[in-house]
C-alpha cells in the first residue's frame, strides 16, 4: 500500500486561503468560530462555471459535515459576515446550503461563518446531476467538485511546501494527479463502492480507497474526517479510462430507508 505523503493532502488551500481565524462580528473577545473565506468560495463558484463541461447538467451547493462527534448533535447557523454585518444563509437539515454571489458582500475579510467553534465541521462543495438514484454519483460531477473545492480553499489539512507550491501554481491540476488524494464524503457509512461504465465494472478495494486509506490515527485529528472516516472514499479522478459519465455506486453499511 502506498504511504500517504504530502501530495495526498492536496487541498491545503483552505489553510492558506481562509487566512486564519477571526473573531465573531459581535464579540471581539469571543473564541474563534468555524469559517471560510467568502472570496475563496466565490473563486470556487467561478471554477464551477469554467469547467461545466465535466458536468453540464449538474447543480452546485455546499455542505457542512461534522468533524467531531459533538458537532453532529447540534444544528448550527450560518451567515456571510462582512464589514460587521451578517447575512444569514439557510442551512438544510443535512447541512447543505447555497452561497449567493453578492459582490457587495465581498469586502475585505468577508467570511462564511458558523456559530460553532473552529474545527467543528468539514466544508465541501457538492456537485450533483439530477435524476440519478440516491446511492449513485457521476464521476464527472466529482471531478468538477474537486476543482471547485481546491479553488475555493475549503478543506483543512496540514500544510507542506509541496502543497503550497502546487496550490499557488494551479489548484485544479491536483485533481488530475494520480498520486494526489481528494477525499469524497459519501452520504452515509460505506460498505462498498463500485465504478460502472457500460459493461465495465471495478470494485474499489478497502485498503486503497475507503476508510482513510491507512492514515495513522495520530494524524486523524488534523484531517477533515476524524468523525467521518467510515464515509471517506478515494476515487480515480485522474484516470481518463473512466469517462465522466461513469457511475459511482455506493453500497452502504445500512440499507437506504
Amino acid at each position: 500500500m502506498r504511504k500517504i505523503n504530502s501530495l495526498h493532502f492536496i487541498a491545503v488551500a483552505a489553510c492558506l486561503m481562509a487566512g486564519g481565524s477571526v473573531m465573531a462580528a459581535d464579540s471581539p473577545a469571543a473564541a474563534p468560530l468555524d469559517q471560510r473565506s467568502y472570496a475563496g468560495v466565490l473563486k470556487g463558484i467561478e471554477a464551477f462555471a469554467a469547467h461545466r463541461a465535466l458536468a453540464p447538467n449538474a447543480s452546485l451547493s455546499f455542505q457542512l459535515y461534522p468533524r467531531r462527534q459533538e458537532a453532529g448533535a447540534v444544528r448550527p447557523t450560518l451567515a456571510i459576515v462582512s464589514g460587521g454585518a451578517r447575512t444569514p444563509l439557510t442551512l438544510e437539515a443535512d447541512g447543505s446550503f447555497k452561497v449567493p454571489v453578492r459582490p457587495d458582500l465581498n469586502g475585505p475579510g468577508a467570511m462564511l461563518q458558523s456559530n460553532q467553534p473552529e474545527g467543528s465541521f468539514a466544508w465541501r462543495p457538492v456537485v450533483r446531476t439530477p435524476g440519478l438514484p440516491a446511492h449513485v454519483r457521476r464521476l464527472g460531477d466529482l471531478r468538477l467538485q474537486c476543482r471547485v473545492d481546491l479553488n475555493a480553499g475549503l478543506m483543512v489539512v496540514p500544510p507542506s511546501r509541496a502543497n503550497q507550491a502546487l496550490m499557488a501554481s494551479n489548484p485544479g491540476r491536483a485533481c488530475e494527479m494520480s498520486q494526489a488524494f481528494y477525499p469524497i464524503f459519501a452520504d452515509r457509512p460505506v460498505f462498498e463502492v463500485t465504478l460502472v461504465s457500460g459493461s465495465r465494472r471495478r470494485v474499489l478495494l478497502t485498503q486503497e480507497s475507503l476508510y482513510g486509506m491507512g492514515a495513522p490515527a495520530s494524524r486523524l485529528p488534523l484531517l477533515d474526517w476524524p468523525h467521518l472516516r467510515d464515509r471517506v472514499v478515494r476515487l480515480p479522478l485522474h484516470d481518463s479510462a473512466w469517462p465522466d459519465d461513469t457511475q459511482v455506486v455506493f453500497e452502504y453499511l445500512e440499507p437506504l430507508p
Side-chain angles (χ1 to χ4, degrees):
M1 180 171 59
R2 186 191 300 270
K3 291 183 179 180
I4 293 180
N5 57 41
S6 60
L7 284 178
H8 283 178
F9 303 110
I10 57 180
V12 70
C15 295
L16 306 175
M17 298 171 67
S21 301
V22 301
M23 303 302 179
D26 57 352
S27 178
L33 297 177
D34 220 2
Q35 60 190 2
R36 296 295 183 275
S37 164
Y38 180 54
V41 171
L42 294 183
K43 289 181 181 179
I45 294 174
E46 291 174 0
F48 177 76
H51 300 283
R52 284 298 299 273
L54 293 169
N57 299 315
S59 62
L60 172 65
S61 60
F62 296 85
Q63 193 162 355
L64 297 181
Y65 299 88
R67 292 182 72 246
R68 303 170 177 168
Q69 186 170 6
E70 60 270 21
V74 300
R75 180 72 182 271
T77 62
L78 194 63
I80 300 173
V81 179
S82 179
R86 300 180 64 87
T87 302
L89 300 180
T90 299
L91 196 65
E92 304 297 339
D94 63 355
S96 63
F97 58 97
K98 297 284 189 178
V99 176
V101 178
R102 292 272 304 272
D104 58 306
L105 297 179
N106 191 22
M111 291 284 172
L112 289 180
Q113 188 179 86
S114 84
N115 65 341
Q116 299 301 307
E118 185 176 59
S120 295
F121 301 103
W123 300 61
R124 287 290 189 280
V126 179
V127 175
R128 285 184 185 267
T129 294
L132 294 174
H135 67 294
V136 176
R137 301 290 298 273
R138 183 178 172 276
L139 192 60
D141 293 10
L142 298 172
R143 285 172 170 147
L144 181 52
Q145 182 171 304
C146 178
R147 287 183 174 272
V148 172
D149 206 347
L150 299 195
N151 281 276
L154 293 177
M155 293 175 63
V156 174
V157 296
S160 73
R161 291 182 179 179
N163 280 331
Q164 291 178 18
L166 178 61
M167 297 306 301
S169 62
N170 186 351
R173 178 177 167 232
C175 300
E176 302 166 359
M177 298 174 64
S178 61
Q179 69 267 45
F181 164 39
Y182 175 68
I184 303 295
F185 289 144
D187 293 332
R188 306 175 66 189
V190 172
F191 174 70
E192 188 174 89
V193 179
T194 304
L195 301 179
V196 180
S197 178
S199 60
R200 186 183 180 201
R201 299 174 64 88
R202 174 185 167 192
V203 177
L204 300 182
L205 300 178
T206 299
Q207 68 268 27
E208 294 177 357
S209 302
L210 306 181
Y211 309 139
M213 288 60 67
S218 61
R219 301 194 72 170
L220 290 178
L222 302 174
L223 308 179
D224 252 346
W225 62 81
H227 183 52
L228 298 164
R229 196 169 185 177
D230 55 3
R231 295 167 61 174
V232 176
V233 179
R234 179 184 186 182
L235 296 170
L237 302 182
H238 65 282
D239 190 350
S240 60
W242 293 98
D244 291 334
D245 282 332
T246 297
Q247 291 193 346
V248 184
V249 181
F250 293 88
E251 183 178 347
Y252 299 119
L253 289 175
E254 297 180 358
L256 289 170

